[in-house]
């Protein structure tokens, strides 16, 4: 009986790890991924000038967006489609693949009427078939990004962010863009460390873009 109790306790512990599935892959999410304070890197733009816009299907990108906000402040904006994608990963994937094939721009449930007061835009999304969901491009093409810096980040099972960046640049051609961040392993608090390291790394790029804009005035 004692052995059975130990086995059941072990099984219960294993089942505490939740697996969230989305169009882009599966991710093991553990308690350590809950938003926690992160050391804020120095030299980034002031918080009222920062917007963190993100699209999330399974919740992983939303989690990453929270961590970015914890590090730099700023306003959060969830990019949502008027017609929600199916929760089922396979059904969602069928729609996402069709949208990519048709280069479709899905309608959004809501949008910001004006982003002029923001200078720095963090843009988060999952990788679907090596690209950002096309709802992200709908959002980008609805606004003028002149004089702004985009810092892209993504969540993905294994794909990098590089192949998605050309489309992002095309939809926000007026903006400057830093090196992107791909988050593959988001367990055991690793997400926070990766985001902090990335922010430190792109700080120089943001400064360079700001100095260039100032000299062009």
């Amino acid at each position: 009986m004692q052995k059975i109790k130990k086995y059941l306790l072990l099984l219960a512990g294993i089942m505490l790890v939740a697996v969230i599935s989305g169009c882009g892959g599966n991710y093991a999410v553990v308690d350590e991924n809950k938003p926690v304070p992160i050391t804020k890197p120095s030299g980034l733009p002031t918080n009222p000038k920062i917007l963190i816009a993100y699209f999330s299907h399974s919740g992983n990108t939303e989690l990453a967006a929270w961590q970015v906000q914890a590090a730099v402040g700023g306003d959060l904006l969830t990019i949502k489609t008027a017609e929600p994608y199916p929760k089922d990963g396979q059904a969602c994937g069928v729609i996402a693949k069709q949208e990519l094939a048709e280069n479709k721009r899905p309608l959004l449930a809501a949008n910001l009427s004006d982003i002029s007061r923001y200078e720095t835009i963090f843009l988060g999304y999952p990788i679907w078939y090596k690209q950002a969901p096309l709802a992200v491009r709908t959002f980008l093409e609805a606004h003028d990004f002149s004089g702004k810096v985009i810092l892209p980040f993504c969540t993905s099972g294994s794909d990098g962010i590089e192949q998605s960046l050309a489309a992002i640049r095309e939809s926000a051609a007026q903006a400057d863009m830093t090196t992107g961040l791909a988050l593959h392993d988001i367990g055991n608090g690793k997400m926070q460390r990766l985001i902090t390291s990335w922010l430190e790394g792109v700080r120089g790029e943001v400064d360079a873009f700001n100095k260039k804009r100032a000299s062009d005035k």
Side-chain angles (χ1 to χ4, degrees):
M1 180 63 71
Q2 190 67 23
K3 289 183 178 180
I4 294 175
K5 286 183 178 179
K6 288 183 179 180
Y7 173 78
L8 291 175
L9 286 173
L10 177 62
L11 182 61
I14 294 172
M15 292 179 68
L16 285 176
V17 178
V19 177
I20 298 179
S21 301
C23 295
N26 298 326
Y27 309 85
V29 181
V30 295
D31 288 344
E32 288 87 343
N33 280 320
K34 291 180 180 178
V36 297
I38 302 174
T39 302
K40 180 179 177 181
S42 60
L44 287 172
T46 55
N47 294 356
K49 301 291 186 181
I50 295 176
L51 175 67
I52 304 160
Y54 68 93
F55 175 91
S56 185
H57 178 258
S58 64
N60 295 304
T61 307
E62 181 174 52
L63 187 64
W66 290 347
Q67 304 296 353
V68 170
Q69 187 186 42
V72 302
D75 296 334
L76 280 174
L77 173 67
T78 307
I79 300 170
K80 292 183 177 181
T81 52
E83 183 68 29
Y85 290 97
K87 293 292 185 182
D88 177 74
Q90 185 173 0
C92 174
V94 170
I95 295 174
K97 193 171 186 178
Q98 183 178 355
E99 287 179 345
L100 282 170
E102 298 174 356
N103 198 26
K104 185 178 179 180
R105 300 294 186 271
L107 295 176
L108 300 185
N111 212 339
L112 281 180
S113 58
D114 182 21
I115 64 167
S116 60
R117 73 183 182 90
Y118 299 108
E119 294 179 355
T120 304
I121 315 291
F122 287 86
L123 184 68
Y125 50 88
I127 295 294
W128 289 358
Y129 300 101
K130 302 185 184 300
Q131 297 294 327
L134 288 181
V136 173
R137 299 192 67 179
T138 304
F139 166 73
L140 293 174
E141 291 167 9
H143 299 288
D144 180 7
F145 285 85
S146 300
K148 304 185 187 304
V149 179
I150 293 178
L151 294 87
F153 62 95
C154 75
T155 55
S156 168
S158 58
D159 292 324
I161 196 172
E162 291 77 15
Q163 286 186 260
S164 70
L165 296 183
I168 299 299
R169 290 190 179 96
E170 181 181 315
S171 290
Q174 317 94 327
D176 293 309
M177 187 184 299
T178 70
T179 301
L181 170 67
L183 295 163
H184 304 306
D185 181 358
I186 65 173
N188 298 317
K190 189 173 182 180
M191 177 186 285
Q192 296 95 322
R193 297 191 296 274
L194 290 172
I195 289 174
T196 299
S197 177
W198 171 60
L199 291 172
E200 290 287 2
V202 298
R203 180 178 58 188
E205 296 179 47
V206 173
D207 288 343
F209 288 138
N210 289 338
K211 288 178 182 177
K212 183 179 183 299
R213 285 201 301 271
S215 65
D216 290 342
K217 290 181 180 179

